Amino acid sequence: MSTVTPAAARTAADSPPPAPARPRRALDWRLRFGGLSLIWGFSFLLIKVGTDGYAPFQVTFGRLLFGTLVLAAAMAVKRERLPRGARTWGHLAVAAFLLNALPFSLFAFAEESIPSTLAGICNATSPLWGMALSLVALSEDRPTRRRVAGLGLGFLGVLTVLGVWQGFHGLDVTGTALALLASFSYPVGWIYVRRTLAQTGYSHLSMTGAQLLLATAQLAVVTPLFTSWPRHFAVVPLLSVVALGALGTGLAVLLQYGLVAEVGPTTAQMVTYFIPVIATAAGVAVLGESLSWSTPVGAVIVLAGAALTQSRARARD
């Protein structure tokens, strides 16, 4: 799941100078890469199960709360402190909204009416939105024929997934639009972070912990306004929310930054291409969601287009 936070965007945008050799990690990076792919791929299933027992805002609040607790524990172990300065916290509040509070909530609302498989595939459109936006907002990004072709191919894949030739028959337009809007929110947040938080000097863990803390505070304000206290706590949905937060948000962020530090942002970001495959397999196998031929075919086209849009960045890394 595309949950890139300010520190990740900063790492990808401004690669640091070579660091001293680090001690060899006990767990090979490929295993951690696979674990991150599974965690984010299953996140859409967990959202679906969570919304069976709780309101979307409640699912999002729980996700952010448990994710923040994991990062707080990691910060305590490493004796990290939160960043300082009103300006930094102001930018982090906007980043928290665009990269966490808004997209997490939109996906939760979307999965009330669309399958988790479709939500996972919509999430894969983030690189396409990001490429389109960066051509407008970032002067250093110049269009190439390959990247423009990738953009066109990617959105052709989206239309294939949606079954445009059938007039979107049987498709919940509102739910799908919410999922696509969630995927659009991520690159908007990345661009904002690159412009405002790329040179703060704080550690990845410190910035991410502050960002999730602010996103949790935002949902703590919004959730009581639009939902009522649950009359009973459904166990399975509650466990799904806990896993979604502790694993899909907290642990996943730690794994992501570890991969970025060890193998670089390009390799680490390849996890994006595995998420819809795992989300689709999980939705079909575990939840019994139906799957027409256009969904996997369109997903392959989307991923191929996304890969083309990132081709120049790979060559530069």
Side-chain angles (χ1 to χ4, degrees):
M1 179 181 278
S2 298
T3 52
V4 175
T5 47
R10 180 181 61 186
T11 303
D14 303 286
S15 299
R22 296 180 177 85
R24 184 178 180 82
R25 292 179 181 266
L27 192 60
D28 185 82
W29 73 267
R30 296 171 186 83
L31 294 177
R32 285 179 280 125
F33 182 96
L36 181 59
S37 301
L38 287 171
I39 289 172
W40 271 342
F42 270 86
S43 291
F44 296 95
L45 180 150
L46 295 175
I47 293 171
K48 189 72 172 180
V49 175
T51 55
D52 286 340
Y54 301 97
F57 277 138
Q58 293 170 342
V59 172
T60 304
F61 174 68
R63 174 183 187 175
L64 289 167
L65 176 62
F66 289 107
T68 300
L69 291 176
V70 170
L71 288 190
M75 290 179 65
V77 169
K78 295 189 176 183
R79 298 183 179 179
E80 291 272 1
R81 294 184 178 181
L82 292 171
R84 298 180 180 180
R87 185 180 182 86
T88 298
W89 279 89
H91 290 314
L92 281 171
V94 177
F97 176 75
L98 293 173
L99 291 169
N100 300 113
L102 178 61
F104 290 0
S105 298
L106 289 173
F107 273 123
F109 275 102
E111 291 198 44
E112 285 192 308
S113 57
I114 66 172
S116 64
T117 54
L118 179 56
I121 292 171
C122 288
N123 180 76
T125 63
S126 282
L128 303 176
W129 297 119
M131 183 268 186
L133 287 172
S134 67
L135 294 179
V136 176
L138 300 175
S139 59
E140 65 269 25
D141 284 335
R142 300 298 181 186
T144 64
R145 291 182 180 179
R146 177 175 294 186
R147 299 184 78 198
V148 171
L151 186 62
L153 183 64
F155 285 111
L156 176 63
V158 172
L159 294 177
T160 302
V161 170
L162 301 181
V164 64
W165 60 91
Q166 298 175 337
F168 306 113
H169 176 70
L171 180 73
D172 186 275
V173 177
T174 300
T176 305
L178 291 176
L180 289 173
L181 183 59
S183 70
F184 178 78
S185 179
Y186 289 125
V188 173
W190 299 336
I191 291 174
Y192 179 83
V193 165
R194 286 181 63 175
R195 288 185 174 276
T196 61
L197 291 167
Q199 303 293 338
T200 60
Y202 294 104
S203 71
H204 301 332
L205 183 57
S206 174
M207 295 289 285
T208 307
Q211 179 184 312
L212 286 184
L213 177 62
L214 287 168
T216 304
Q218 291 168 1
L219 263 295
V221 172
V222 171
T223 302
L225 297 177
F226 295 96
T227 64
S228 57
W229 188 259
R231 294 184 178 179
H232 69 280
F233 290 88
V235 176
V236 174
L238 178 59
L239 292 176
S240 294
V241 173
V242 173
L244 181 64
L247 301 178
T249 303
L251 178 60
V253 167
L254 296 177
L255 287 174
Q256 181 192 31
Y257 289 143
L259 288 170
V260 169
E262 184 171 349
V263 300
T266 298
T267 301
Q269 289 169 4
M270 289 292 290
V271 71
T272 302
Y273 305 125
F274 292 88
I275 293 174
V277 177
I278 295 171
T280 299
V284 173
V286 180
L287 298 180
E289 295 176 345
S290 59
L291 189 68
S292 63
W293 68 267
S294 61
T295 301
V297 170
V300 171
I301 298 173
V302 167
L303 294 177
L308 282 176
T309 64
Q310 302 301 305
S311 59
R312 195 186 72 166
R314 286 201 193 98
R316 191 171 58 235
D317 283 345

